[in-house]
Amino acid sequence: MTWSEGGRTQLSEILVFEKAFDDTAQDVADLALSSFDQCDGVGMQLVDADGLSTRFFTDTRSSQFDALQEQFDDGPCVACLRTGEQYDLEPVTADERWPSFAPPARRAGLIACLALPLIAQGAVIGALNLYAWPVVGFQGWDRQTAGNFAARASISLASARVYARTQVLITDLRARIASADDIVDRAHGALMALENTSLEVAITRLADLADEQRSTLDGAAHSVIDSLGDD
Amino acid sequence: MDEPPDTLEDELTELAGLLLANETLETMLGHVAHIAVRAIPACDAAGVTLFERDQLTTAAASGPLVRRVDEHQYSTDEGPCLESLRTGELRRSPSLQADTRWPKFRAPAVGEGVVSCLSLPLVIGNHGTAGVLNLYSQNRPFEDADEEIGRRFVTPASVAVANARAYAKARAVIEQLEEALQSRDVIGQAKGIIEAREHCGPDEAFERLRDLSQHRNIKLRDLAAAIVDSPDTYLSG
């Protein structure tokens, strides 16, 4: 197995602003498949800071192998995500390390699997699973090259995610600015005037009111503003 | 893992991770320049020239020499950087002293101690030439081997620069939007204060705010902030 110069070049050519994050991630999975000639399919699982995971596949079979591991909570990918280390499934049938995952995977034709941790800034951000199901002649994985690919892919994915976060924030800020409703701010001001207090106290006061009324901040703000007309 | 590290590969990996450090654009481009000095054997000094709004700027440099030599190119309107930018092609001068291509630039550059230079265009797909990576040597010529490494280095460097610029732009937009949102917050708060004190509705409160802003010749946002800070100073009753 060789990591082609092409694969290396393309990983370092990822423009974070050209595509949506998920499309960039799919490109990385596709690139892994085309970069290793012993690899027949790729599954990639990415985990974000909130623990939510997203999956990417190059084909249905790889998707099924990933799903099997998740279903049995057993297999190289599961162990890799847990520990941040490389794990594999060797092309042998005796002495299986993955008692739940290996038998059904073997029946489905899997010969070998290599799960590579994706690590950026010290945190495990996912796992890249290389699957092999050749009819004959599996040559084995070049673990070091595969590890280098995963390390470079981790950097590209983490960078693309950093940029994607800025775009989410921009959309959110634009939406907040576009919404004409400033009821919460007005309620903060009204509370300041009514109770002759500072903005900080007024902000806490409105949050307490929302709690007391078992309502949202918006609901509490409406009640404050409505009460202005009462006196 | 026992193989000797591939230095260029290590440098390219560092280039790819530029965004993760969460730094300013200038700092990120500065890293690109320093990485170039380490990656390309003959290179003593490097800088990134960007072309924006018809203006050439040395956006980052590994040292003061780069800014001085770049400035000679900008002021004489000739040299490898400018030619590289205009043609989108690499320009190498193994011996600047013997080079007849840029007579006006040659004398001051040689005077700065530059013996050889290599300019690599930063090209992003079909986005055109965004700038140039300028490499200078004060000791030995840039040879074919340096040029070859330069060619391998420049694509990831172009991508790193483009990503850094896009990220910096996104952060600037966020900053502006946050400021706008804060202005809006403070105007809403001032409206609420006026509504409560003067028993009026939000539209009337905003009119009152605008009148006050005009009379006192204070920007609406600044006046709103001043009212939130000290209502009695600006509002009666």
Side-chain angles (χ1 to χ4, degrees):
Chain A
M1 179 176 68
T2 55
W3 175 13
S4 63
E5 181 66 31
R8 191 190 310 247
T9 306
Q10 288 175 54
L11 263 187
S12 58
E13 285 178 17
I14 290 177
L15 291 169
V16 295
F17 52 90
E18 217 169 41
K19 292 182 178 182
F21 177 75
D22 283 0
D23 294 333
T24 300
Q26 185 62 49
D27 285 350
V28 170
D30 294 341
L31 193 56
L33 176 63
S34 62
S35 297
F36 300 110
D37 51 17
Q38 291 281 297
C39 182
D40 297 304
V42 172
M44 185 169 76
Q45 189 172 349
L46 296 180
V47 191
D48 70 13
D50 301 324
L52 292 171
S53 75
T54 326
R55 293 168 175 282
F56 303 88
F57 312 100
T58 54
D59 56 285
T60 337
R61 212 165 176 188
S62 299
S63 132
Q64 285 162 352
F65 289 136
D66 270 19
L68 268 181
Q69 299 197 53
E70 187 176 26
Q71 184 191 335
F72 293 115
D73 193 29
D74 179 55
C77 171
V78 173
C80 174
L81 276 172
R82 230 168 243 157
T83 65
E85 304 282 333
Q86 254 190 43
Y87 287 91
D88 61 10
L89 172 80
E90 288 289 333
V92 288
T93 47
D95 189 25
E96 294 282 21
R97 265 181 305 162
W98 316 109
S100 307
F101 165 66
R106 296 287 188 207
R107 282 196 295 276
L110 186 67
I111 299 295
C113 163
L114 181 63
L116 301 152
L118 298 168
I119 299 174
Q121 294 174 301
V124 178
I125 61 162
L128 182 69
N129 305 310
L130 308 182
Y131 294 108
W133 54 79
V135 182
V136 282
F138 178 72
Q139 307 287 317
W141 307 109
D142 175 349
R143 283 155 208 277
Q144 180 159 352
T145 329
N148 288 343
F149 181 95
R152 189 68 77 77
S154 304
I155 295 172
S156 296
L157 289 166
S159 303
R161 186 177 266 169
V162 163
Y163 181 79
R165 277 200 206 107
T166 65
Q167 299 310 297
V168 171
L169 189 53
I170 287 172
T171 308
D172 178 50
L173 285 169
R174 285 209 168 116
R176 281 170 64 193
I177 287 170
S179 86
D181 192 0
D182 56 358
I183 188 86
V184 171
D185 302 318
R186 283 165 56 209
H188 286 150
L191 283 171
M192 283 175 70
L194 292 174
E195 305 189 359
N196 197 21
T197 184
S198 69
L199 177 61
E200 288 69 29
V201 174
I203 289 171
T204 315
R205 188 77 188 91
L206 188 68
D208 291 346
L209 264 177
D211 275 349
E212 281 165 27
Q213 298 173 355
R214 294 174 185 282
S215 152
T216 60
L217 209 55
D218 230 50
H222 274 288
S223 74
V224 170
I225 294 295
D226 291 346
S227 76
L228 293 178
D230 296 344
D231 46 43
Chain B
M1 297 300 278
D2 293 322
E3 283 177 26
D6 183 337
T7 317
L8 182 61
E9 278 313 306
D10 290 348
E11 307 298 4
L12 295 181
T13 302
E14 197 181 327
L15 258 187
L18 223 52
L19 281 200
L20 300 177
N22 194 26
E23 292 168 320
T24 62
L25 179 62
E26 201 182 20
T27 314
M28 287 191 280
L29 298 181
H31 287 312
V32 174
H34 284 286
I35 295 169
V37 173
R38 291 201 301 268
I40 297 158
C43 183
D44 294 317
V48 178
T49 290
L50 292 183
F51 185 62
E52 283 176 309
R53 295 186 201 94
D54 291 335
Q55 275 276 317
L56 284 167
T57 336
T58 304
S62 66
L65 171 83
V66 176
R67 292 186 191 279
R68 291 201 304 270
V69 181
D70 282 357
E71 199 46 53
H72 293 312
Q73 301 206 47
Y74 308 156
S75 61
T76 59
D77 195 31
E78 64 171 39
C81 167
L82 274 72
E83 221 176 275
S84 195
L85 187 73
R86 284 166 191 154
T87 60
E89 286 165 14
L90 173 150
R91 285 290 179 268
R92 172 162 65 112
S93 175
S95 167
L96 199 55
Q97 180 76 54
D99 207 317
T100 55
R101 284 176 289 180
W102 314 292
K104 284 183 278 183
F105 163 66
R106 181 178 59 182
V110 169
E112 298 282 1
V114 176
V115 301
S116 177
C117 52
L118 176 62
S119 289
L120 303 152
L122 297 166
V123 183
I124 309 295
N126 49 11
H127 301 268
T129 309
V132 179
L133 181 64
N134 293 305
L135 313 179
Y136 299 112
S137 171
Q138 292 179 290
N139 296 296
R140 58 192 176 103
F142 284 101
E143 291 170 347
D144 290 350
D146 295 292
E147 183 176 319
E148 182 49 38
I149 296 173
R151 284 185 191 279
R152 278 180 66 194
F153 182 83
V154 75
T155 303
S158 302
V159 170
V161 168
N163 283 342
R165 288 176 80 181
Y167 180 55
K169 199 174 147 196
R171 288 207 309 194
V173 170
I174 288 170
E175 219 167 274
Q176 283 165 5
L177 292 175
E178 277 176 341
E179 210 180 292
L181 197 62
Q182 252 174 21
S183 299
R184 215 200 57 172
D185 286 356
V186 88
I187 290 168
Q189 288 151 6
K191 271 165 67 183
I193 292 173
I194 297 170
E195 284 176 66
R197 287 173 66 119
E198 306 191 358
H199 307 285
C200 62
D203 296 337
E204 243 179 296
F206 187 70
E207 280 306 315
R208 177 99 168 81
L209 204 56
R210 243 188 21 198
D211 284 349
L212 268 173
S213 154
Q214 273 168 5
H215 281 127
R216 290 183 174 250
N217 199 21
I218 306 175
K219 275 190 196 162
L220 193 69
R221 189 217 175 272
D222 295 342
L223 176 73
I227 288 176
V228 171
D229 199 43
S230 167
D232 292 333
T233 316
Y234 296 89
L235 304 170
S236 53

